[in-house]
Amino acid sequence: MNDSMVIVRFDGNGRAYRPGETLAGEYAFDSTVSEDVAAVEVSVMWYSEGKGDEDLAVHEFSRQDVEEGEWFDTRRPGRFSTVLPNSPLSYEGVIVKLRWCVRVRVFLRSGGELVGEREFRLGTVPPAGRGGNSIV
Amino acid sequence: MALVVPQWRVNHEFVEHRCIVLDKRIGELNDEDGTLYRPEIEIEYHIGDETFRIWTYDIHQAYSSGREAKQAILDQFLIDPKNPIEYVCWYDPAEPGTAVLVRNYMWWVWLVLIVPSTFILIGLGGVIYRVLHWGKSTERRAVMQQRVKQRDPFVAGGAASRKFPNVPDDSDITNSPGTTLRYRLPASASAGWQLFGLLMASIVWNGIVSVFVVLAVRGHAKGEPDWFLTLFMIPFVGIGIFLIVLFIRQLLVATGIGPTLVEISDHPLQPGDSCRLFVSQSGRLSINSLRVCLVCEEQATYRQGTNTRTETREVYRQELACHEGFEVHRGLPFETECELEMPAVAMHSFKSDHNGIGWHVVVEGDVAGWPDYRRAFPLIVYPGSGRNMQ
């Protein structure tokens, strides 16, 4: 697995979005990717970090597979677009953190896998310890 | 299987027949634990032209303790050579030389089968899960699990859950009307369950520890003290005493301090909202201080070895009201109202499998002559402008 060969970009170089806003962008393959692509999965998802075991949920998922008649040109970027949900909002807590990202997973015919990921913020909740009245 | 299959065959495949009893005796087996017994009855039956004469009783022919019970079985069968009495027996059609006089099910045989079967089923389930998810990415597996959950009417929430994923449902809170304000908030954990849990923990822990304590005390009484055992048991006895003290403390709080009621004028809340809170404390108490606070807690569940642990961390606290030095009289509860104002940029309530963020109204009391107490009442906070989106 190589994390650097798939690049994810958001339209307008956005980093923070509001619930209900449209997140759109594209993913592109590094010029060194010459192998035939077998399938591409694009996930708009959140995952947890912190002390607890990881939870994740996928808001939008699409899979294109050559076995289902899809064809990929690694020289041209692929696009994605989704309307973001109302929750959960991005959160930087003390033992619980919630992060949103677009993850693109590319499956090669050789059996290899490439992953590209780009984080974004959903909502404007400040980190725990800031923005409240009295923080523990 | 060697126990289950013969039992099943006796009950489903053996053929009913007639026999006469020729002789009977109690079979004995001398074991390390003493003598074990089984009933043995000699029967004679005819199938076609062939006559069978065998010693039998049931299919297992197992020995066990209790001679009297076996003698009682033998007494049910009478031997009368002049006027033989016919008894029902069952023989194996595949092997007519095998027959039994009883064909009851023995429950423990099935229990023996259940234990390995459970492990086999768990293993099989794991293999099927692996095969179904083979070659699938984490995200694809998550999508499949989400779809299963959405189809399950007991797991999937209502309309609010679909509009606000991972925000807990507030129906448990809004289904209880208040007497002073609109809703009465439920307590977050039943004091009864907490007490029961502590009682069970005390009984189990102290039950085990007491066995070793008795051994140690006997040694001292006999003048042969086992000092290693005695010293080794000290921390365990300490934990046992701590559990008992904790249980008594909780019992005192649950029974001695009257119920705390919290009512709210509006629910669910969202950041920046304000509403009224009504707090009522019953009992017969001399209260040093009673605090009402708005608290946000993060909760993380994680596996550590074979244990599952849950850690809670308070990340926000706002004091809403504080009353000091007053008396509560029986039948005349202390009542107060205060304003609750949510922070303008608060995180909403959140719940997933291993992580959670919860808001509570917490009532903390310092009562003269009683242990301090803390009672929490959960609130659901939607993301900003969430209520308008319903």
Side-chain angles (χ1 to χ4, degrees):
Chain A
M1 195 160 73
N2 191 320
D3 291 350
S4 63
M5 292 179 166
V6 183
I7 299 125
V8 182
R9 294 186 209 100
F10 298 145
D11 290 353
N13 213 16
R15 298 284 295 170
Y17 296 84
R18 287 194 302 269
E21 201 174 340
T22 299
L23 167 76
E26 62 183 25
Y27 57 89
F29 302 101
D30 190 280
S31 57
T32 54
V33 178
S34 56
E35 280 189 80
D36 283 344
V37 174
V40 175
E41 286 178 0
V42 181
S43 308
V44 181
M45 55 181 279
W46 65 263
Y47 58 92
S48 69
E49 275 186 357
K51 194 133 194 181
D53 289 347
E54 188 190 61
D55 291 320
L56 71 86
V58 180
H59 166 63
E60 184 85 34
F61 178 80
S62 70
R63 180 182 166 90
Q64 293 171 289
D65 201 323
V66 286
E67 286 182 4
E68 289 164 13
E70 301 283 352
W71 180 79
F72 301 100
D73 181 355
T74 55
R75 292 165 301 179
R76 298 184 66 176
R79 287 205 53 86
F80 57 84
S81 174
T82 186
V83 176
L84 293 167
N86 295 322
S87 60
L89 303 181
S90 299
Y91 177 67
E92 189 77 20
V94 179
I95 58 170
V96 176
K97 300 169 205 303
L98 301 177
R99 305 201 191 286
W100 277 89
C101 71
V102 173
R103 187 178 288 171
V104 178
R105 203 180 280 273
V106 179
F107 299 87
L108 303 174
R109 283 182 194 276
S110 61
E113 213 175 292
L114 308 174
V115 179
E117 187 175 305
R118 192 170 181 87
E119 262 191 45
F120 65 94
R121 283 189 60 79
L122 179 62
T124 53
V125 177
R130 289 178 215 161
N133 292 345
S134 23
I135 304 299
V136 177
Chain B
M1 293 306 280
L3 293 169
V4 175
V5 172
Q7 184 169 285
W8 189 89
R9 289 197 65 234
V10 165
N11 285 278
H12 293 88
E13 292 183 352
F14 276 34
V15 178
E16 190 175 321
H17 202 57
R18 294 273 163 187
C19 67
I20 57 166
V21 173
L22 302 176
D23 198 2
K24 56 187 181 180
R25 68 189 180 202
I26 290 181
E28 293 187 359
L29 176 72
N30 288 313
D31 194 52
E32 287 174 350
D33 300 326
T35 307
L36 302 173
Y37 310 94
R38 73 177 184 192
E40 293 176 352
I41 299 165
E42 189 181 23
I43 60 170
E44 184 183 278
Y45 56 100
H46 307 276
I47 298 170
D49 298 335
E50 210 169 344
T51 299
F52 295 91
R53 189 178 285 189
I54 60 167
W55 285 92
T56 186
Y57 178 60
D58 62 8
I59 195 67
H60 298 297
Q61 300 193 352
Y63 290 92
S64 61
S65 58
R67 194 178 205 285
E68 291 76 17
K70 278 68 181 181
Q71 186 59 53
I73 291 170
L74 293 187
D75 292 345
Q76 294 170 17
F77 296 92
L78 302 174
I79 303 168
D80 188 352
K82 291 179 186 170
N83 192 15
I85 302 166
E86 281 197 334
Y87 290 94
V88 177
C89 69
W90 290 267
Y91 71 89
D92 186 351
E95 196 183 324
T98 301
V100 294
L101 285 163
V102 288
R103 54 173 194 169
N104 55 329
Y105 276 106
M106 293 167 82
W107 64 269
W108 60 268
V109 170
W110 295 97
L111 199 66
V112 165
L113 188 68
I114 283 170
V115 176
S117 302
T118 307
F119 287 110
I120 290 168
L121 283 175
I122 291 170
L124 202 64
V127 170
I128 291 169
Y129 179 86
R130 287 278 165 203
V131 168
L132 285 176
H133 292 91
W134 187 262
K136 292 187 175 68
S137 63
T138 314
E139 300 81 45
R140 200 174 170 195
R141 288 202 302 269
V143 170
M144 289 162 73
Q145 284 166 2
Q146 282 169 228
R147 282 180 188 153
V148 170
K149 274 187 187 172
Q150 279 163 5
R151 278 191 221 115
D152 187 342
F154 296 104
V155 175
S161 164
R162 287 191 292 276
K163 272 197 180 288
F164 303 102
N166 297 94
V167 177
D169 189 24
D170 75 328
S171 56
D172 279 352
I173 294 171
T174 51
N175 63 7
S176 177
T179 51
T180 306
L181 298 176
R182 199 168 170 197
Y183 303 115
R184 178 166 294 177
L185 299 178
S188 62
S190 156
W193 282 112
Q194 279 182 0
L195 260 181
F196 181 72
L198 267 173
L199 178 65
M200 292 313 293
S202 299
I203 289 172
V204 171
W205 182 272
N206 287 302
I208 295 167
V209 168
S210 64
V211 173
F212 296 96
V213 170
V214 166
L215 285 174
V217 170
R218 271 188 189 164
H220 284 278
K222 281 181 186 171
E224 300 163 0
D226 185 341
W227 285 108
F228 175 76
L229 179 66
T230 306
L231 294 173
F232 186 73
M233 288 312 295
I234 288 172
F236 293 93
V237 171
I239 293 170
I241 291 169
F242 174 74
L243 283 172
I244 292 169
V245 169
L246 206 62
F247 169 71
I248 292 170
R249 186 180 181 280
Q250 284 294 103
L251 188 68
L252 286 175
V253 168
T255 56
I257 297 170
T260 308
L261 303 178
V262 176
E263 294 180 4
I264 194 165
S265 62
D266 200 6
H267 198 273
L269 301 172
Q270 60 187 38
D273 269 0
S274 57
C275 61
R276 298 291 298 164
L277 264 189
F278 167 77
V279 178
S280 162
Q281 176 60 61
S282 305
R284 188 163 168 264
L285 309 163
S286 176
I287 293 183
N288 295 329
S289 70
L290 186 83
R291 283 190 164 74
V292 183
C293 298
L294 174 66
V295 164
C296 178
E297 286 177 341
E298 295 176 4
Q299 194 177 65
T301 304
Y302 55 96
R303 256 186 254 169
Q304 200 170 52
T306 53
N307 296 329
T308 301
R309 295 179 188 278
T310 298
E311 187 174 320
T312 302
R313 187 72 62 90
E314 195 174 286
V315 292
Y316 178 87
R317 172 177 281 259
Q318 179 192 352
E319 191 172 282
L320 305 174
C322 179
H323 298 270
E324 291 182 334
F326 61 93
E327 302 281 327
V328 181
H329 302 285
R330 196 173 295 283
L332 196 65
F334 168 77
E335 294 177 347
T336 184
E337 279 199 38
C338 58
E339 190 84 7
L340 184 157
E341 199 169 316
M342 286 297 302
V345 286
M347 178 58 180
H348 59 81
S349 303
F350 166 81
K351 187 84 194 95
S352 62
D353 290 344
H354 304 100
N355 297 277
I357 298 160
W359 288 88
H360 306 272
V361 170
V362 174
V363 178
E364 293 166 331
D366 174 0
V367 184
W370 292 88
D372 293 351
Y373 72 98
R374 177 187 195 270
R375 288 170 179 166
F377 301 82
L379 297 169
I380 302 298
V381 177
Y382 279 10
S385 306
R387 202 168 36 206
N388 303 332
M389 288 188 271
Q390 279 188 94

